[in-house]
């Protein structure tokens, strides 16, 4: 069922209430999601993006109920990832000659995933535009590596809508569509989680792209991303947040992330947490067991932090595999301007603290020398090292 966005622009996407994960299982979905596709019906009829492959038949059938598919003058494919292009095969079976406007990299990615289809691709670059009638046009803006090589945004003049694709999105199902109808806490929680876990590796490009879009001097009344709520109430608020988040963002927060075998390393984690609160009551402290809690939620908290403290006991001359996997994922997110410290228990060889320090350095953290390395169970002598570690983190 279509939902009006503004004037002759409608949402024709898929509200994915049951989605539990994304990018395989690499991104947890806690509040549903949506794949937003849009239909523009001016003198030209334009479809912007489609929905994920499993929903392709529903998507095409629903679209048929709204319009005669043969009335679609052209399709804009802002992004080739299958959550947005996955219904093209089913749709193009119905309207095989319909032109598709997209970037050159998008053609490669679509053909790479679905094979050569002899579709009528029209390659566009930043600044290219196309008239859609009633004095309105679509202007294309390449968004290379935000977050795929093919990513693109499309701006509609007249109604001043930026169809931003993944940028500014959230994995959050909002039946009423708009940011002013969404639960504000959930909206921001999901928006920052999306940035931290998907866009942060490309943060320098985000800053440049925001400057580039600002220089185009286009009035923006609505930002319509491809996931989650559409920003119509003060749409620039999410752009302003992106500008902050892309610039080595941090709050007065420290996140402690650990795993433990028999509870000793957990004790150190909580001792460090208590000491941070003692030395700096205004600092927010969060403590997570990386084996038990959601990694994307933890990464979001680390993204917001000025420092991370990572703990693992030594096991077979190494760290626990849960912590290894956690650190490997964290490395890909390319956090900047954050301090780090390490801790862990051991029984004989005791490599974990050093291994954690090396891995955190490789991931770009400013690792402090102070650490807590505890033989068997932590005792008062081990805990006596905690104040110095915390003071160094807060300095
Ligand atoms: Fe929502 Fe990059 O796909």
């Amino acid at each position: 069922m279509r939902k009006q966005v503004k004037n002759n622009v409608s949402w024709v996407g898929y509200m994915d209430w049951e989605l539990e994960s994304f990018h395989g299982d690499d991104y947890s979905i806690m509040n549903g999601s949506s794949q937003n596709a849009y239909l523009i019906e001016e003198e030209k009829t334009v479809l912007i993006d489609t929905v994920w492959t499993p929903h392709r038949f529903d998507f095409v059938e629903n679209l048929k109920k709204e319009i005669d598919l043969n009335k679609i003058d052209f399709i804009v494919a802002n992004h080739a990832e299958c959550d947005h292009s996955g219904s093209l095969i089913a749709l193009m079976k119905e309207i095989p000659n319909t032109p598709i406007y997209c970037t050159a990299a998008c053609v490669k990615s679509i053909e790479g995933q679905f094979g050569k289809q002899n579709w009528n691709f029209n390659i566009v670059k930043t600044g290219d535009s196309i008239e859609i009638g009633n004095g309105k046009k679509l202007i294309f803006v390449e968004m290379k590596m935000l977050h795929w090589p093919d990513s693109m945004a499309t701006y509609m003049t007249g109604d001043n809508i930026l169809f931003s694709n993944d940028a500014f999105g959230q994995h959050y199902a909002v039946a009423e569509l708009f940011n002013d109808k969404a639960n504000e806490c959930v909206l921001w929680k999901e928006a920052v989680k999306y940035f931290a876990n998907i866009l942060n590796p490309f943060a320098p490009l985000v800053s440049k792209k925001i400057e580039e879009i600002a220089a185009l001097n286009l009035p923006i009344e609505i930002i319509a991303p491809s996931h989650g709520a559409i920003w119509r109430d003060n749409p620039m608020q999410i752009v302003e947040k992106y500008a902050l988040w892309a610039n080595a963002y941090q709050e007065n927060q420290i996140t402690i992330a650990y795993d433990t075998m028999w509870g000793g390393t957990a004790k150190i984690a909580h001792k460090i947490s208590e000491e941070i609160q003692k030395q700096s009551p205004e600092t927010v402290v969060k403590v997570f067991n990386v084996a038990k809690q959601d990694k994307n939620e933890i990464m979001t908290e680390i993204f917001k932090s000025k420092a991370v403290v990572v703990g693992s006991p030594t096991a077979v001359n190494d760290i626990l595999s849960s912590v290894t996997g956690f650190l490997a994922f964290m490395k890909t997110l390319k956090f900047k301007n954050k301090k780090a410290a390490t801790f862990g228990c051991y029984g004989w060889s005791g490599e974990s603290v050093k291994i954690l320090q090396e891995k955190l350095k490789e991931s770009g953290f400013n690792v402090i020398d102070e650490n807590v390395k505890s033989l068997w169970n932590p005792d008062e002598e081990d805990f006596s090292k905690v104040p110095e570690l915390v003071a160094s983190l807060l300095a």
Side-chain angles (χ1 to χ4, degrees), residues 22-23 79 81 83-84 147-148 165-166 194 226-227:
F22 193 76
H23 286 162
H79 181 24
E81 195 162 10
D83 50 330
H84 309 297
H147 65 129
W148 271 25
N165 199 259
D166 284 335
Y194 192 93
S226 58
H227 300 287

Side-chain angles (χ1 to χ4, degrees), residues 201-241:
F202 314 105
L205 299 176
V206 172
S207 301
K208 275 191 199 148
K209 190 53 65 178
I210 288 174
E211 283 169 21
E212 189 188 315
I213 292 175
L216 294 174
N217 249 334
L218 301 169
I220 294 175
E221 286 179 43
I222 289 179
I223 294 178
S226 58
H227 300 287
I230 296 169
W231 302 88
R232 73 173 173 189
D233 175 41
N234 183 14
M236 294 312 284
Q237 63 183 309
I238 186 65
V239 181
E240 286 157 17
K241 280 287 183 198

